Amino acid sequence: MRFGPHQQVTGAIAFDASGLVVAPGFIDLHTHLREPGSEHAETIESGSRAAVAGGFTSICCMPNTSPVNDDATVTRYILERARNVAVANVFPVGAITEDSAGEKLASIGSMKAAGAVAISDDGRPVMNSRVMRRAMEYARSFDLPVIDHCEDLSLSAGGDMHEGFSSVRLGLRGIPPAPKK
């Protein structure tokens, strides 16, 4: 049932939201919860609490854990921990490749069955085009989004910032822009 702007709703609680922003809970598609393995940096509990404090009700956690979230066991662990300690919805992102090393596909189907909502090697590009193509084909067959780190390491070659006047002035190694067509 829809209500017009001036209709009263019986039993509704009203509050003055003047000067405030009222929005649905935000979703962070790229968080680093680091659990399992690097709990000194972040945990599922602390990361979800920080998310809620910032207005996020759902977070997708990258697979950069130790061990990497590259199989159903780690995916299930993340979801079980989240059920026990998280105050936000936690959605695990599985790795594209084993150990996020870019060489051999991870267990994409079993991670999806366990609850992974996407695949990514997070901050590591999959440099092998054949592996990336297969990953995208698998992802499509499992209806999983691919969150890719789009970088060609042979071009960026350890650069520090965008190549241009500022990089030269600061004496920092530049990363060239994509060529214009």
Side-chain angles (χ1 to χ4, degrees):
M1 176 181 253
R2 292 187 177 268
F3 298 96
H6 301 290
Q7 289 178 293
Q8 294 292 330
V9 179
T10 306
I13 299 171
F15 62 93
D16 183 5
S18 301
L20 301 175
V21 174
V22 178
F26 298 117
I27 301 169
D28 190 337
L29 298 175
H30 190 123
T31 62
H32 295 172
L33 297 183
R34 307 294 187 185
E35 184 178 355
S38 297
E39 288 83 358
H40 63 280
E42 186 79 84
T43 65
I44 292 168
E45 181 176 11
S46 66
S48 70
R49 288 188 183 284
V52 168
F56 291 83
T57 57
S58 297
I59 53 180
C60 298
C61 56
M62 291 290 115
N64 60 346
T65 52
S66 183
V68 169
N69 183 15
D70 61 5
D71 66 44
T73 302
V74 179
T75 303
R76 282 192 294 270
Y77 171 83
I78 292 167
L79 288 170
E80 181 62 29
R81 270 302 276 158
R83 274 190 285 280
N84 292 325
V85 301
V87 295
N89 300 310
V90 174
F91 298 103
V93 174
I96 295 173
T97 62
E98 288 181 3
D99 203 33
S100 292
E103 297 299 321
K104 185 177 176 192
L105 287 181
S107 302
I108 296 170
S110 63
M111 287 187 298
K112 163 74 178 201
V117 298
I119 56 171
S120 176
D121 273 358
D122 190 27
R124 298 177 176 180
V126 177
M127 293 293 295
N128 184 318
S129 297
R130 179 176 286 121
V131 171
M132 190 62 183
R133 178 183 173 165
R134 290 214 172 102
M136 293 174 76
E137 290 168 346
Y138 271 92
R140 180 177 54 199
S141 72
F142 291 111
D143 197 28
L144 282 173
V146 176
I147 303 170
D148 186 26
H149 182 87
C150 299
E151 178 181 8
D152 185 326
L153 296 175
S154 64
L155 289 176
S156 60
D160 298 308
M161 66 181 291
H162 177 75
E163 182 179 69
F165 176 77
S166 294
S167 67
V168 172
R169 184 176 57 80
L170 295 170
L172 296 173
R173 293 172 297 184
I175 301 171
K180 294 181 179 156
K181 291 185 178 191

